[in-house]
Amino acid sequence: AQKVTQAQTEISVVEKEDVTLDCVYETRDTTYYLFWYKQPPSGELVFLIRRNSFDEQNEISGRYSWNFQKSTSSFNFTITASQVVDSAVYFCALRGDAGGTSYGKLTFGQGTILTVHP
Amino acid sequence: DVKVTQSSRYLVKRTGEKVFLECVQDMDHENMFWYRQDPGLGLRLIYFSYDVKMKEKGDIPEGYSVSREKKERFSLILESASTNQTSMYLCASSLDGAYGYTFGSGTRLTVV
């Protein structure tokens, strides 16, 4: 069975602070994919990043960065110099690849509500 | 860009009613999914479909059914709505799950 845990239910920061959202996952698959999605107040989930299990390079995209550590089964997301527009619910998700029969079924974490105050 | 459209943004239905939630995607994706989102629980998979007329149960299928008569349309059906089905329902499609999903804007359903 797969599981994704986002232990931080809510985080509140002041604009320009850095913030890290934690994600820990469990899977028995040797090949798997990890995702982060953002859900702004409008409700639509927006894809942010995909990482496969063979690529442990960290990634930076503007103010966003992701730290993937297989040794600790973690895929954490950091926003540098946060802005009010970053306020949203953020979801971490996992897709295993057991024999390729999972049809892309994603398992989501509980989500972290991030509020950035001006 | 792939677009996933959910027919209603907000719905209010009475207990016992049969409810249809519609989802249409415009990029010829094979795979379509229905999730419900509840505070503290994240997104939970109700049903998914990997081809026309094909469907598979997700993690919480009880009280729901689905229909996929055409590739672009995936309907979620609440056979007899109950108050514990009050939730946000999200539809998604995917060409290949390795590249993630494209989501609709969601339907917030209230059952009274």
Side-chain angles (χ1 to χ4, degrees), chain A residues 20 30 37-38 51 71 78 104 113 116-117:
Chain A
T20 295
T30 53
Y37 283 87
K38 174 182 179 180
R51 175 65 75 230
S71 59
T78 297
I113 301 170
V116 181
H117 298 281

Side-chain angles (χ1 to χ4, degrees), chain B:
Chain B
D1 280 352
V2 178
K3 196 165 176 68
V4 177
T5 303
Q6 293 184 232
S7 54
S8 303
R9 190 81 174 96
Y10 298 95
L11 273 180
V12 180
K13 296 291 181 181
R14 295 195 179 278
T15 301
E17 274 193 76
K18 190 169 186 175
V19 181
F20 293 85
L21 302 184
E22 305 289 346
C23 175
V24 177
Q25 51 96 2
D26 65 359
M27 280 299 287
D28 205 35
H29 282 180
E30 303 290 337
N31 307 317
M32 296 187 75
F33 307 82
W34 275 106
Y35 283 85
R36 65 176 281 176
Q37 180 181 357
D38 300 287
L41 297 177
L43 277 72
R44 293 179 292 166
L45 183 64
I46 305 171
Y47 266 97
F48 64 103
S49 168
Y50 50 91
D51 202 350
V52 176
K53 298 190 185 295
M54 305 303 286
K55 59 186 180 186
E56 291 281 343
K57 292 180 180 179
D59 300 319
I60 51 165
E62 297 77 20
Y64 303 95
S65 62
V66 290
S67 172
R68 194 162 179 205
E69 297 296 320
K70 294 184 178 180
K71 195 174 188 179
E72 67 271 19
R73 186 180 296 272
F74 191 36
S75 303
L76 179 69
I77 304 158
L78 285 66
E79 297 292 343
S80 177
S82 64
T83 54
N84 63 12
Q85 291 178 309
T86 291
S87 186
M88 169 72 97
Y89 291 87
L90 290 160
C91 176
S93 74
S94 171
L95 177 63
D96 173 347
Y99 291 91
Y101 295 177
T102 299
F103 281 87
S105 298
T107 296
R108 187 166 292 282
L109 173 67
T110 302
V111 182
V112 297

Side-chain angles (χ1 to χ4, degrees), chain A residues 2-27:
Chain A
Q2 299 178 155
K3 187 177 179 182
V4 177
T5 301
Q6 294 177 253
Q8 303 149 309
T9 305
E10 291 192 54
I11 300 176
S12 183
V13 299
V14 177
E15 217 171 12
K16 297 184 184 174
E17 281 187 43
D18 297 347
V19 58
T20 295
L21 309 181
D22 297 333
C23 173
V24 174
Y25 62 91
E26 296 174 30
T27 181

